[in-house]
Amino acid sequence: QALASQCRVATPSDTVVHSECAFTFFSPFSNDRGIVVNLNTFAGTIPELAAPNGKEIYLRIVKDRKEKETTSDAPTKLAIGVEGGFDDDKYEVVTKHSVVVLDASGNVVAELPYDESTKATFPEQVTRSVESII
């Protein structure tokens, strides 16, 4: 609750870096810890480089590719994405979000999953900030 006052809501003029780390080439697909996005500065990074000043609140984004079950036969047309052609969508992307509090040394103090069923448990300012990033 005390950290909720640090959260800002992203506006169209804000730059939100949530597709990869601002310092490395890590992305939400890179490992099982993904990246964290500061809910005040909107800068995405890996937890080791977050370097918070005291306790700060972040949104963790983790993405994973799962191969879809394919029931289609061999292609009969030289085309992509049409019936009888090659299937260009053979992976499903699963995205997980969680709200993370990191201390000054970068250790996780608290981590709570964030989805449709849990977002009502967060303070309104945190929910609005997270929704503006997602």
Side-chain angles (χ1 to χ4, degrees):
Q1 185 74 11
L3 294 174
S5 63
Q6 294 179 5
C7 298
R8 292 186 326 138
V9 177
T11 63
S13 62
D14 287 323
T15 301
V16 178
V17 182
H18 66 297
S19 59
E20 68 180 8
C21 174
F23 308 110
T24 66
F25 291 111
F26 277 86
S27 76
F29 292 103
S30 295
N31 58 32
D32 60 343
R33 293 181 302 148
I35 64 169
V36 292
V37 179
N38 190 311
L39 294 182
N40 184 24
T41 64
F42 309 124
T45 185
I46 56 175
E48 294 84 4
L49 298 177
N53 302 323
K55 289 183 182 175
E56 290 191 11
I57 190 165
Y58 292 85
L59 170 67
R60 183 185 305 270
I61 303 171
V62 179
K63 294 185 179 182
D64 189 27
R65 288 184 188 98
K66 304 249 187 220
E67 192 166 348
K68 290 182 178 179
E69 294 291 327
T70 56
T71 58
S72 62
D73 298 327
T76 57
K77 295 181 183 176
L78 189 55
I80 297 174
V82 298
E83 188 176 332
F86 290 92
D87 186 16
D88 64 340
D89 190 25
K90 66 182 206 175
Y91 292 102
E92 177 182 356
V93 176
V94 178
T95 304
K96 296 178 188 172
H97 298 99
S98 58
V99 176
V100 181
V101 176
L102 299 178
D103 64 10
S105 60
N107 296 322
V108 175
V109 175
E111 182 166 3
L112 299 170
Y114 185 88
D115 56 26
E116 289 299 319
S117 63
T118 62
K119 74 179 185 179
T121 61
F122 291 98
E124 182 183 352
Q125 186 65 16
V126 174
T127 302
R128 290 176 54 218
S129 181
V130 169
E131 289 295 322
S132 70
I133 293 172
I134 295 175

